[in-house]
Amino acid sequence: MNLVHDGDKSWRRRWIVSTGTIKQILLITDGCSNQGESPASVAALAEQQGIAVNVIGILEDQENEAATQGLSEVEEIALSGGGVSQIVYAESLSQTVQMVTKQAMTQTLQGVVNQELKHILGSKETMEDLPPEQRGEVMEVVEDLGERCGLEVLVLIDTSASMGNKLPTVQEALIDLSISLNARSGDNRFSIFSFPGKRKDLDKVMDWTPRLDSISSVFPKLATRGITPTGPAIREALKQFTKKRGLRGFLAKEETPHEQQWD
């Protein structure tokens, strides 16, 4: 993404913003991984590839303190993956999914804008270092980008045995997310994968689509299993973005320079 001004050296100027796509993995789980490599390490790899890993840990009222402590991994994964984490009770999941997705978008955009500010100002200044008025103007740019940029969200659902009674709530939350984000002017793309898979670490529930309305027909088919290979599942999820990028690389040949995507 490039932020360019029209020659006016003041902060009251017109910003020309190239479009781009924010990529996120949204991991929904209720406990710690128990098989395979460290999920935090794989999340760090995702962050290096420009893909934020956001994590929502689901609790139930009757779950004890030990179960709550077991979700400490949620914060570690999100921190390593440059994303946002939130622990929530099942009944509040729908609102939380929307909040985490949007908060992660803003966090990503602020990071990109900070890099551009350093380039434009020739210093190490970030938005937090600017005077209040200038900071407000830059935040307007971030908000505008949040509406206009493309968004790709790969939803990664833990279907280990303890998640069985929580999956209907997850389905409702994802439908609400789709409805909420489709009010944006930017393009949305979603996909849904579950883990553990039948014969591998990850199963595809729904391929990339602009809406999640049709998940009501496929979601009930999800089968729960005992293990939780979170790390391997995140690694396999990364490959799904690579597959899409191969097709996009072919299509991008027709894009003009100021319209090229950014990661």
Side-chain angles (χ1 to χ4, degrees):
M1 182 191 72
N2 294 315
L3 301 179
V4 185
H5 61 83
D6 58 3
D8 180 5
K9 298 300 183 181
S10 73
W11 279 93
R12 296 185 177 278
R13 60 191 177 219
R14 178 172 60 89
W15 292 85
I16 305 171
V17 183
S18 67
T19 57
T21 300
I22 290 179
K23 299 177 176 66
Q24 299 183 17
I25 291 175
L26 177 61
L27 170 62
I28 301 178
T29 182
D30 71 345
C32 294
S33 60
N34 56 23
Q35 181 172 298
E37 60 192 314
S38 162
S41 298
V42 186
L45 176 63
E47 201 260 348
Q48 292 174 9
Q49 297 180 13
I51 302 171
V53 181
N54 309 306
V55 193
I56 297 177
I58 310 177
L59 294 177
E60 289 182 331
D61 290 329
Q62 64 267 31
E63 289 181 321
N64 56 33
E65 183 177 354
T68 304
Q69 292 175 345
L71 289 173
S72 61
E73 186 180 64
V74 165
E75 294 183 359
E76 183 181 1
I77 295 172
L79 182 62
S80 298
V84 176
S85 66
Q86 187 72 37
I87 295 177
V88 63
Y89 290 107
E91 62 267 20
S92 304
L93 181 61
S94 180
Q95 181 180 359
T96 302
V97 167
Q98 296 180 44
M99 177 194 71
V100 166
T101 303
K102 293 182 178 180
Q103 184 179 345
M105 286 178 61
T106 300
Q107 179 172 293
T108 300
L109 290 169
Q110 287 178 347
V112 174
V113 170
N114 275 336
Q115 291 299 317
E116 289 293 329
L117 284 175
K118 293 176 184 178
H119 175 72
I120 293 171
L121 300 177
S123 69
K124 295 183 179 180
E125 285 191 86
T126 66
M127 279 186 286
E128 290 72 22
D129 300 317
L130 296 173
E133 182 179 352
Q134 295 177 352
R135 186 164 62 245
E137 293 182 27
V138 175
M139 281 305 302
E140 289 181 9
V141 174
V142 172
E143 292 174 4
D144 180 61
L145 279 171
E147 286 296 311
R148 295 173 50 192
C149 69
L151 175 65
E152 291 181 0
V153 181
L154 186 152
V155 182
L156 188 56
I157 303 172
D158 176 359
T159 54
S160 58
S162 57
M163 281 287 292
N165 62 336
K166 301 169 186 174
L167 292 180
T169 305
V170 173
Q171 173 185 317
E172 295 172 4
L174 295 180
I175 293 175
D176 288 346
L177 173 66
S178 178
I179 294 172
S180 170
L181 292 183
N182 273 296
R184 300 171 59 249
S185 59
D187 293 331
N188 301 311
R189 290 292 182 273
F190 306 95
S191 64
I192 304 176
F193 289 78
S194 65
F195 70 98
K198 292 181 180 179
R199 298 181 180 84
K200 48 190 178 181
D201 294 321
L202 199 65
D203 276 348
K204 179 168 65 178
V205 178
M206 178 173 290
D207 207 349
W208 293 98
T209 176
R211 303 187 70 90
L212 294 178
D213 308 65
S214 58
I215 65 172
S216 57
S217 62
V218 296
F219 226 78
K221 301 177 183 178
L222 292 181
T224 56
R225 296 172 180 83
I227 61 174
T228 314
T230 310
I234 296 174
R235 181 175 291 276
E236 288 300 312
L238 291 179
K239 297 178 182 178
Q240 307 308 314
F241 291 95
T242 304
K243 290 177 181 177
K244 279 190 64 65
R245 192 172 296 123
L247 175 59
R248 290 193 166 197
F250 174 78
L251 297 176
K253 293 179 181 179
E254 298 183 359
E255 293 179 340
T256 57
H258 69 282
E259 292 173 336
Q260 290 178 351
Q261 295 179 338
W262 49 272
D263 291 332

